[in-house]
Amino acid sequence: MNIQEIVKILIDSGIEPNEANIEVKMLIEHFADYSVKDIIMGKKLESSKLEIVKEKAELRAKTRQPIQHIIGFAHFMDEKFIVNKDVLIPRDETEILVRKAVELINQNNFKMALDVGTGSGCIACMVAKYTDCQIIGLDISRDALNTALDNASRLNLFNKAIFRKSDVFSNVKPGESFDIIISNPPYIPPSEKANIQMEVKFDPELALYTSDEKGLEFYEKISQGAPSILNKGGYLLFELGIDQAKDVEQIMLNNGFKEIEIIKDLAGIDRVIAGKI
């Protein structure tokens, strides 16, 4: 058994060849402590470690469990985040949301931020890392909050990223106010559940699905509640599902937001929306 034969295990299971190569490199680095540099230099991989990598590749191929769950972490904005069945795996698209938030915070010297539906804490942690802002991450799942706290601890963000159990704004304390509210909310309608990519089924349903058929439930809840806890001149930012930009823009306008900006991802899809109160 060699590395290319392990790659073939993934390809034969339906994983795209380039992705299969990347995933096998991730497995080798994690389970065999064997770096890309070692591969380039032609360093021999011990057969016992190669066997472990093969077993993990077979698990990936058989179950289609995400590679991030198998190795226990995901890369996001050059950091490693602990991930598990309790949190959404950070996606590249969410980096657009974070970078826009960081830009607005630094431009306006904002000091208090709120991340609604924090999950792994990746948004809150990166905002805390790249700004002077303190951020509170809210989530209804205590297990998700434990993961977020672990991630913040690993990044030494104890006093900058704080986490709290809350159903949307239910546990925002009287008198608390924020300069910016950020959210990557659930936005997949339940009717799409049957067609969802196999790997996505390992993400927690609470983080994926809405109860309404347009996927707008949480955009409405957050947009309605945000003005009462946002400071004047503050911002609300969302990550968007495909083809939801116009509906979310109208929801934000209906709730008093202005200067709406929509940002596309690298594929030209409307991915982030920002509005000012």
Side-chain angles (χ1 to χ4, degrees):
M1 177 64 64
N2 58 38
I3 292 173
Q4 283 310 309
E5 287 173 326
I6 296 174
V7 171
K8 189 172 185 298
I9 291 171
L10 296 185
I11 294 172
D12 288 348
S13 75
I15 295 169
E16 191 267 330
N18 186 54
E19 189 64 30
N21 274 289
I22 292 170
E23 291 189 2
V24 170
K25 286 178 184 176
M26 291 170 70
L27 291 173
I28 290 170
E29 287 176 10
H30 186 73
F31 291 106
D33 192 24
Y34 187 84
S35 68
V36 173
K37 183 180 177 181
D38 291 329
I39 295 171
I40 294 169
M41 297 297 289
K43 182 180 174 182
K44 187 170 175 60
L45 186 60
E46 294 175 26
S47 59
S48 60
K49 291 186 175 180
L50 195 62
E51 186 61 31
I52 294 170
V53 173
K54 177 194 170 194
E55 288 173 5
K56 300 300 181 183
E58 288 173 339
L59 174 65
R60 167 81 171 110
K62 181 179 179 180
T63 66
R64 295 305 288 268
Q65 185 178 349
I67 195 74
Q68 293 89 346
H69 283 185
I70 292 171
I71 63 178
F73 67 82
H75 290 280
F76 183 73
M77 294 184 71
D78 298 322
E79 295 289 354
K80 284 183 178 179
F81 282 86
I82 298 165
V83 292
N84 49 48
K85 63 180 179 57
D86 301 312
V87 300
L88 194 71
I89 295 169
R91 266 73 171 182
D92 291 342
E93 293 86 354
T94 304
E95 185 172 330
I96 303 168
L97 176 67
V98 173
R99 293 198 181 281
K100 183 62 182 178
V102 167
E103 174 191 316
L104 289 170
I105 290 166
N106 289 336
Q107 279 178 353
N108 294 280
N109 196 29
F110 287 155
K111 296 303 180 187
M112 282 300 299
L114 192 67
D115 173 22
V116 183
T118 196
S120 67
C122 65
I123 293 172
C125 287
M126 290 297 93
V127 166
K129 179 180 177 180
Y130 289 112
T131 74
D132 292 326
C133 216
Q134 185 180 66
I135 185 163
I136 297 175
L138 305 178
D139 206 289
I140 196 171
S141 165
R142 194 168 296 282
D143 291 327
L145 290 167
N146 288 335
T147 303
L149 185 58
D150 286 343
N151 281 317
S153 299
R154 288 178 70 251
L155 294 168
N156 296 314
L157 297 168
F158 294 100
N159 296 318
K160 290 194 68 183
I162 301 163
F163 300 98
R164 188 186 299 169
K165 190 174 190 297
S166 184
D167 183 0
V168 189
F169 301 128
S170 67
N171 202 20
V172 172
K173 297 175 182 177
E176 281 186 321
S177 62
F178 303 90
D179 300 307
I180 187 167
I181 297 174
I182 309 154
S183 184
N184 177 19
Y187 52 66
I188 301 175
S191 59
E192 293 185 21
K193 194 178 290 190
N195 303 319
I196 210 77
Q197 185 182 353
M198 198 175 296
E199 283 82 355
V200 177
K201 292 179 181 178
F202 287 86
D203 283 324
E205 291 198 356
L206 271 176
L208 295 174
Y209 301 108
T210 64
S211 60
D212 70 302
E213 280 306 324
K214 294 188 75 176
L216 301 175
E217 174 187 3
F218 290 96
Y219 295 117
E220 290 176 341
K221 286 181 179 178
I222 295 168
S223 296
Q224 287 167 8
S228 65
I229 57 171
L230 269 174
N231 296 324
K232 185 170 176 57
Y235 285 85
L236 174 61
L237 275 71
F238 288 118
E239 183 169 322
L240 296 164
I242 294 174
D243 295 330
Q244 290 179 321
K246 290 302 177 188
D247 285 331
V248 177
E249 179 180 21
Q250 192 58 55
I251 289 168
M252 292 176 74
L253 289 169
N254 291 347
N255 285 283
F257 289 92
K258 57 189 179 183
E259 299 180 28
I260 304 292
E261 179 183 2
I262 297 170
I263 303 159
K264 296 181 184 294
D265 62 19
L266 293 175
I269 296 167
D270 293 333
R271 187 57 66 183
V272 169
I273 189 166
K276 187 176 182 180
I277 199 65

